[in-house]
Amino acid sequence: MPRAFALVDCNSFYASCEKVFAPALANRPVVVLSNNDGCIVARSAEAKALGIPMGKPLFQCEGLIKRHGVAVFSSNYALYGDMSARVMATLGRFTPSMEIYSIDEAFLDLTGMPIALTPYGRRIRETVLRWTGIPVSVGIGPTKTLAKVANKLAKQDPAFAGVLDLTGRLDREALLAKIGVEDVWGIGRQYAAMLERHGVRTALDFARLPRDFVKKRMTVGGLHTLLELNGVSCLPLEQAPAPKKSIVSSRSFGVPVTTLEDMREALAWHVSRAAEKLRAQHGLTSGLLVYVQTNTFIANEPQYAASDTTALPVPTAHTSELLRAGLKLLERLFKQGYRYKKVGVMLLGIEVSGSVQGSLLAPAKEESQRRKALMRALDQANAKWGKEMVRLAATGLKRSWAMRQERRSPRYTTMWAELPAVKAG
DNA sequence: TCTGGGGTCCTAGGACCC
DNA sequence: TCTGGGGTCCTAGGACCC
């Protein structure tokens, strides 16, 4: 049976979330910023129309923003995560199996649906909008890559009204010719530039390339893209998210950091976060990497960046063990006399807890049970009372390095105190 | 003044072993 | 002068995604 995948993608997701709770912004341009209020990472349709580019630093757009009264928000991940869960739950009603691909995208398996797919796509779109307030686009195709292409076309051409099914279309080639090769899923900037040099400009040009050329210059990933554009499904639907093989926590500082003390505090915070994520997936880490970095954007300042790794004697998920190892690394890396912009930690070689070999060096069983219980209590308290309410002392209270976040909307959906007020009468 | 964060996969090349 | 062949494991780097 021929396969059918739908890619459902939320339009301007973060900006749309902000609009849901601020009806006055309905037809106004809205942008959402990256962490630290640094770059523009989401733009409403009105903001795109003004020519505000994706990924631009905010301070380079101040003029445009002021002139047009653009509403600007710091990112509010508690809100977006919760809205995402609602959208995904809604989508789950339309398919026996789906893959949540990112915070604002999902692939739905529509193989063998006993209904015409275009009207089905319209129903999906209308239902999500009605139930969550979030507008989505729906692209349908015989492979995931073609579903992505269809989605892009559905957004690009208003005639499709947000839904396009490529599975039965005879004009598939003509439509592929309307997509730039750089907009094909799996082809990024570097490959696009290389292809351009060979006269490949559209998705159709690419789809017609010889296999061995693509395999040689773009490895097997590129070959899969080529085959998928020709209707050969190579990328399966991944229903269960694979456990992470590495976990990162890192963030730019709101202000430059110069002292070891502040660096220690910030690193401790990141180690705690990473360890929480690790325990959430029932993992144990066998190593960690710490890195420090100055602000590379400042040309006339001394620059320094360094990283180092350490292997743990026994894989662990215990915050204080990771803290000890991480701080030791930091002390080796830290050099006086620099203005640091960033510190981060990466957990490496993660194993599923339970599959770990015993070791003569492992703490006695009783001791490790006791520690596990402590960590569980910590995670539960954090979940109940809010993130960061309960932390190990080393993570500090000063937070002079904390990120800037000056324009965050209330956490409407996840904090009782910030529920939107509704005026009656 | 101000420039995000968190992931994956693939390949080449070196170390090491028999 | 000429210095095997093949396997595995690890790391670094480069590409991609959102």
Side-chain angles (χ1 to χ4, degrees):
Chain A
M1 183 186 304
R3 309 217 52 180
F5 298 95
L7 177 71
V8 182
D9 177 292
C10 301
N11 300 344
S12 313
F13 182 54
Y14 299 168
S16 298
C17 289
E18 298 295 349
K19 285 195 179 205
V20 168
F21 294 95
L25 296 178
N27 297 305
R28 279 187 51 200
V30 170
V31 298
V32 178
L33 306 176
S34 63
N35 276 326
N36 241 334
D37 292 350
C39 296
I40 290 167
V41 295
R43 306 155 297 156
S44 72
E46 300 82 5
K48 284 174 193 164
L50 290 176
I52 296 175
M54 176 73 175
K56 264 269 178 197
L58 171 65
F59 73 93
Q60 289 175 8
C61 306
E62 297 282 20
L64 211 52
I65 281 170
K66 230 171 240 156
R67 246 189 338 274
H68 294 96
V70 178
V72 179
F73 291 91
S74 302
S75 45
N76 184 344
Y77 287 105
L79 175 64
Y80 311 149
D82 187 62
M83 292 302 286
S84 174
R86 298 179 188 201
V87 169
M88 298 304 168
T90 308
L91 292 178
R93 298 176 158 241
F94 288 90
T95 177
S97 62
M98 66 189 268
E99 170 185 345
I100 296 175
Y101 179 67
S102 73
I103 192 165
D104 69 337
E105 275 175 77
F107 288 100
L108 278 55
D109 191 352
L110 301 186
T111 303
M113 283 283 165
I115 338 173
L117 294 183
T118 302
Y120 196 59
R122 295 225 169 88
R123 250 178 64 205
I124 293 175
R125 198 164 178 267
E126 283 152 20
T127 308
V128 175
L129 184 62
R130 193 151 6 99
W131 291 7
T132 69
I134 301 291
V136 299
S137 301
V138 183
I140 302 168
T143 66
K144 287 164 85 176
T145 305
L146 282 169
K148 276 271 200 181
V149 166
N151 185 284
K152 174 112 356 188
L153 286 161
K155 281 206 173 79
Q156 199 169 291
D157 187 344
F160 295 126
V163 179
L164 172 60
D165 172 19
L166 275 180
T167 52
R169 285 188 82 113
L170 301 173
D171 58 346
R172 194 153 95 196
E173 298 212 327
L175 290 171
L176 284 181
K178 292 187 176 183
I179 295 284
V181 72
E182 70 281 0
D183 288 333
V184 173
W185 190 39
I187 299 179
R189 274 224 308 279
Q190 303 300 318
Y191 285 153
M194 182 275 290
L195 291 165
E196 172 82 15
R197 289 195 291 278
H198 287 84
V200 176
R201 290 193 178 80
T202 68
L204 182 62
D205 295 339
F206 181 77
R208 289 177 168 169
L209 286 174
R211 290 185 189 189
D212 52 352
F213 172 88
V214 172
K215 169 86 196 286
K216 187 153 161 257
R217 330 267 309 205
M218 301 170 67
T219 81
V220 299
L223 185 58
H224 288 157
T225 303
L226 178 74
L227 293 169
E228 287 236 322
L229 279 182
N230 284 288
V232 180
S233 181
C234 303
L235 307 173
L237 200 77
E238 315 271 1
Q239 282 181 253
K244 307 281 181 232
K245 295 169 181 173
S246 62
I247 289 173
V248 173
S249 178
S250 104
R251 193 165 284 174
S252 301
F253 302 129
V255 293
V257 164
T258 56
T259 68
L260 178 58
E261 190 200 345
D262 279 351
M263 290 290 273
R264 287 172 58 98
E265 193 183 296
L267 177 66
W269 186 81
H270 287 302
V271 169
S272 301
R273 270 188 81 216
E276 279 164 23
K277 291 192 216 173
L278 179 65
R279 293 192 295 269
Q281 71 168 38
H282 305 290
L284 299 171
T285 184
S286 46
L288 77 175
L289 175 148
V290 170
Y291 73 93
V292 300
Q293 197 184 299
T294 53
N295 190 342
T296 51
F297 286 101
I298 304 180
N300 53 359
E301 219 178 76
Q303 297 289 323
Y304 172 59
S307 68
D308 200 2
T309 59
T310 190
L312 298 159
V314 178
T316 180
H318 197 273
T319 301
S320 68
E321 283 171 20
L322 297 173
L323 226 35
R324 199 172 328 131
L327 291 173
K328 207 187 283 175
L329 286 173
L330 176 66
E331 254 139 68
R332 284 218 294 275
L333 294 170
F334 180 85
K335 285 204 282 191
Q336 207 59 247
Y338 291 97
R339 287 153 55 85
Y340 291 91
K341 179 66 176 170
K342 211 168 179 181
V343 66
V345 65
M346 197 168 168
L347 307 182
L348 309 159
I350 293 174
E351 312 169 9
V352 179
S353 120
S355 72
V356 179
Q357 293 286 318
S359 158
L360 293 174
L361 298 171
K365 200 167 175 201
E366 205 175 303
E367 168 67 1
S368 90
Q369 292 296 341
R370 202 182 58 77
R371 290 178 179 206
K372 248 189 225 157
L374 172 61
M375 286 298 107
R376 213 166 23 239
L378 190 68
D379 290 339
Q380 278 165 4
N382 280 333
K384 186 168 179 190
W385 304 112
K387 276 192 154 109
E388 299 170 45
M389 285 297 278
V390 185
R391 286 191 183 274
L392 297 180
T395 62
L397 298 167
K398 236 174 20 144
R399 304 284 294 273
S400 54
W401 39 269
M403 70 170 170
R404 272 188 302 274
Q405 205 180 31
E406 291 165 358
R407 320 179 192 221
R408 208 196 63 223
S409 52
R411 286 159 286 191
Y412 303 106
T413 61
T414 55
M415 299 287 276
W416 289 111
E418 297 177 16
L419 276 177
V422 176
K423 285 198 191 104

